[in-house]
Amino acid sequence: MGVLRVILGDQLSSQLEIVAGADKGRDVFLLAEVMSEASYVRHHVKKIAFLFSAMRHYGDALKNAGYTVRYVALDDAGNSQSLEGEILRAVAALAPSRVAVTEPGEWRLREGFEALRLALPVPLDILSDTRFLCSHAAFAAFADGRRELRMEFFYREMRRRHDILIEADGMPTGGRWNYDEENRKPPKVGLQSPPRLSFRKDAITLDVLDLVRRKFPEGYGRLEPFHFAVTRRQALRELDHFIAHILPGFGDYQDAMVRGEPYLSHSLLSVYLNAGLLYPLEVCRKAEAAYRDGRAPLNAAEGFIRQILGWREYVRGVYWRFMPGYIERNALDATEALPWFYWSGETRMACMREALAHTYDHAYSHHIQRLMITGNFALLAGIEPKAMHEWYLAVYADAYEWVEASNTLGMALHADGGLLASKPYAASGNYIRRMSNYCEGCAYDPTVSVGEGACPFNALYWDFLARHRERFSRNARMPYVYANWDKMGAQKQAALRGQAQAHLLAMREGQL
């Protein structure tokens, strides 16, 4: 035979070189469901089911296009349960002239493939992942020589490079690069999610759901209802539905949070982008066209495009530039153990309970829930960053280390010391009260900082700032915060810090 072409579960794209360069008469594609990938963190069962179903549908699509496919299911006899083992097994059985794989999205896999080279009797080629719009070399060209990295400048370069929302004179559409200030409205009364698509489960998906039930009986999360698109065609329907019916309302309320509404006007497309079923440029082009055709306001289109063309590409660039040491960073010396309620959802804090319930039920919560609820609490409480990194990597269907690590360690926890974000995203209960209706009926009162019913976010917020004053008082965006702290006086400061310690003790004892 010719080349053994390995397709990873998050590379289900026909546009990659590994597919485009294949010889139908001689090459063989290998896709393998292996326990080592399904269990290296405690993945949400919906994430496992989505990937296995999407992989099986993708394998069938390759066969229907005339390619030869070696597909190894999780429960197949002889499955070695590791990617390396399945590649070695396929090489022994098929005797290819060489092996090709697209660069994986996680450092551990890249290192694994480098080590595999030594064990293989044939050469191993690691091809570029051309689904992304900024190559490693292009990101290095942006980053080299800069005193500090900031996404906003990267985003502007990407807009120009790909001619997205750029006018003939080279200026940004509408005269501004960023409409984020228009996208921070608190939820209006009655704010609801538009209707979402749900796809009929075919025999492949039903088989996968049964497999996941049997093989992961103690797995995290709720397996059904299962609504995911699992093919390229279905993912395109999700994209078209979002552009036509949901994008127009995305901008204004993208930071809002509402009880019982996990989605609101968020796209749910990241799971398909990150698995290869959608391509970032096609998504951005459709959002731009919706604005230019008058079907979506500029603040919605620009805000959505910024998440994909700007933030998604930026965090990937940061990840690869600073690995392997990035996931070990802990600039704030946070050492608290991950509270069990992150897994169980059992807490008296209504905001945390809501965000964790969405996570458990859907393998999803939107970016403000991740950043300003679960991430904000972990930041304030000083939860150990690597434990949080592994939790975020496990529980969300769109989480892969290249996108998750920088968001968690940099954006949410400031564990990278400000490499990704210029200031910590710390907030008290007042932010949550303003941007959600979560506080209504909560056991804690967001207007109370000390004493009976005091919201944990309040005292923990001030204690966090006091603990790290030496670091943050020099930050140009934070002097007013410390001025407010100083105005409180020693007695109030001591009361707040004492209350924070009481909250931390309750957290450790499972009583928060």
Side-chain angles (χ1 to χ4, degrees):
M1 63 167 285
V3 180
L4 178 68
R5 297 177 176 270
V6 181
I7 303 289
L8 303 183
D10 61 342
Q11 297 175 346
L12 308 180
S13 165
S14 61
Q15 291 188 358
L16 288 170
E17 179 186 349
I18 201 162
V19 177
D23 183 332
K24 290 183 179 180
R26 301 181 66 240
D27 296 349
V28 174
F29 285 100
L30 171 65
L31 290 92
E33 304 165 6
V34 294
M35 189 60 76
S36 62
E37 291 304 302
S39 62
Y40 73 94
V41 291
R42 194 184 175 200
H43 291 298
H44 198 295
V45 289
K46 270 190 170 76
K47 180 180 184 179
I48 299 170
F50 161 69
L51 284 173
F52 284 0
S53 180
M55 287 169 65
R56 293 184 184 192
H57 283 93
Y58 184 80
D60 282 356
L62 287 175
K63 291 177 185 176
N64 292 336
Y67 296 101
T68 301
V69 176
R70 177 185 173 98
Y71 194 98
V72 182
L74 190 73
D75 54 355
D76 280 353
N79 187 336
S80 66
Q81 302 301 341
S82 75
L83 285 173
E84 293 87 350
E86 285 313 295
I87 293 170
L88 287 167
R89 204 160 67 95
V91 168
L94 302 174
S97 60
R98 58 197 312 117
V99 175
V101 62
T102 302
E103 179 186 70
E106 302 195 352
W107 182 272
R108 66 180 180 85
L109 285 177
R110 176 70 194 235
E111 291 289 277
F113 286 131
E114 293 292 351
L116 184 61
R117 277 195 166 120
L118 302 177
L120 283 171
V122 296
L124 170 64
D125 302 322
I126 300 179
L127 310 176
S128 297
D129 191 340
T130 53
R131 293 174 300 164
F132 293 94
L133 302 178
C134 183
S135 66
H136 299 323
F139 191 84
F142 161 78
D144 287 347
R146 291 181 183 266
R147 188 167 57 88
E148 61 179 15
L149 301 180
R150 289 295 172 258
M151 197 280 287
E152 180 65 25
F153 302 115
F154 171 82
Y155 170 56
R156 294 179 186 185
E157 285 193 15
M158 292 292 285
R159 288 263 296 271
R160 293 188 184 101
R161 185 183 307 166
H162 296 283
D163 192 27
I164 300 285
L165 291 178
I166 296 291
E167 300 307 304
D169 61 0
M171 296 300 291
T173 299
R176 290 161 50 193
W177 290 102
N178 188 316
Y179 290 83
D180 200 34
E181 289 184 0
E182 297 179 19
N183 296 343
R184 297 171 178 166
K185 293 180 180 178
K188 62 183 179 181
V189 175
L191 184 64
Q192 292 180 307
S193 174
R196 317 303 296 219
L197 296 182
S198 179
F199 294 95
R200 183 181 63 83
K201 293 181 281 294
D202 62 9
I204 291 176
T205 298
L206 290 172
D207 284 347
V208 165
L209 292 174
D210 180 63
L211 173 74
V212 173
R213 282 191 206 95
R214 289 187 285 107
K215 295 294 186 180
F216 302 91
E218 304 300 322
Y220 170 79
R222 192 182 305 281
L223 182 59
E224 293 189 278
F226 184 87
H227 300 303
F228 288 97
V230 291
T231 66
R232 163 84 172 153
R233 178 176 295 179
Q234 289 177 347
L236 285 170
R237 284 183 58 196
E238 283 275 16
L239 172 58
D240 289 342
H241 180 78
F242 170 72
I243 296 295
H245 303 290
I246 303 171
L247 177 62
F250 171 77
D252 292 359
Y253 298 106
Q254 66 173 271
D255 286 6
M257 298 173 284
V258 176
R259 281 199 313 271
E261 294 288 348
Y263 306 140
L264 292 177
S265 290
H266 292 268
S267 75
L268 312 186
L269 298 178
S270 57
V271 67
Y272 310 122
L273 281 163
N274 294 353
L277 297 179
L278 294 176
Y279 310 124
L281 202 56
E282 74 180 341
V283 173
C284 292
R285 295 281 186 215
K286 288 201 172 189
E288 180 185 32
Y291 161 69
R292 295 200 183 279
D293 295 344
R295 293 177 286 126
L298 181 56
N299 69 309
E302 186 278 318
F304 177 68
I305 288 168
R306 180 162 19 101
Q307 290 189 359
I308 298 170
L309 187 62
W311 191 251
R312 182 175 184 270
E313 299 286 333
Y314 181 70
V315 295
R316 176 178 181 262
V318 168
Y319 173 79
W320 282 106
R321 185 172 178 84
F322 293 100
M323 281 296 285
Y326 191 84
I327 60 173
E328 305 296 334
R329 294 195 178 198
N330 188 359
L332 302 184
D333 297 319
T335 58
E336 291 285 345
L338 180 72
W340 178 247
F341 60 68
Y342 271 85
W343 294 110
S344 70
E346 296 169 352
T347 171
R348 298 169 66 213
M349 293 179 286
C351 58
M352 288 287 286
R353 195 166 60 243
E354 186 77 15
L356 293 169
H358 295 173
T359 301
Y360 185 88
D361 288 345
H362 306 291
Y364 174 85
S365 63
H366 68 68
H367 69 280
I368 295 300
Q369 292 174 314
R370 299 188 202 194
L371 177 63
M372 301 308 299
I373 304 294
T374 53
N376 183 28
F377 181 86
L379 173 70
L380 301 182
I383 297 174
E384 198 269 319
K386 195 167 185 181
M388 285 304 303
H389 154 63
E390 291 175 354
W391 183 80
Y392 277 109
L393 185 59
V395 300
Y396 293 117
D398 59 2
Y400 302 91
E401 197 171 81
W402 65 265
V403 63
E404 174 276 327
S406 304
N407 272 298
T408 299
L409 299 170
M411 190 72 169
L413 302 182
H414 209 77
D416 66 3
L419 174 65
L420 194 79
S422 59
K423 76 174 188 69
Y425 277 84
S428 68
N430 186 54
Y431 173 87
I432 299 167
R433 181 168 66 106
R434 185 173 71 253
M435 295 305 299
S436 77
N437 63 0
Y438 292 167
C439 299
E440 299 170 11
C442 181
Y444 301 105
D445 187 338
T447 66
V448 178
S449 298
V450 176
E452 186 71 23
C455 174
F457 281 86
N458 292 336
L460 289 173
Y461 170 76
W462 290 113
D463 185 64
F464 169 81
L465 292 173
R467 291 199 314 270
H468 299 292
R469 180 163 192 160
E470 184 176 353
R471 173 183 292 272
F472 294 131
S473 60
R474 298 188 297 271
N475 189 301
R477 300 175 66 184
M478 298 186 70
Y480 75 95
V481 177
Y482 283 106
N484 288 336
W485 172 248
D486 291 338
K487 290 176 185 177
M488 293 179 185
Q491 185 174 357
K492 186 173 182 180
Q493 290 175 354
L496 283 165
R497 301 205 67 181
Q499 182 72 59
Q501 292 308 307
H503 290 317
L504 291 174
L505 180 61
M507 177 190 76
R508 296 173 193 132
E509 294 179 348
Q511 301 298 320
L512 197 58

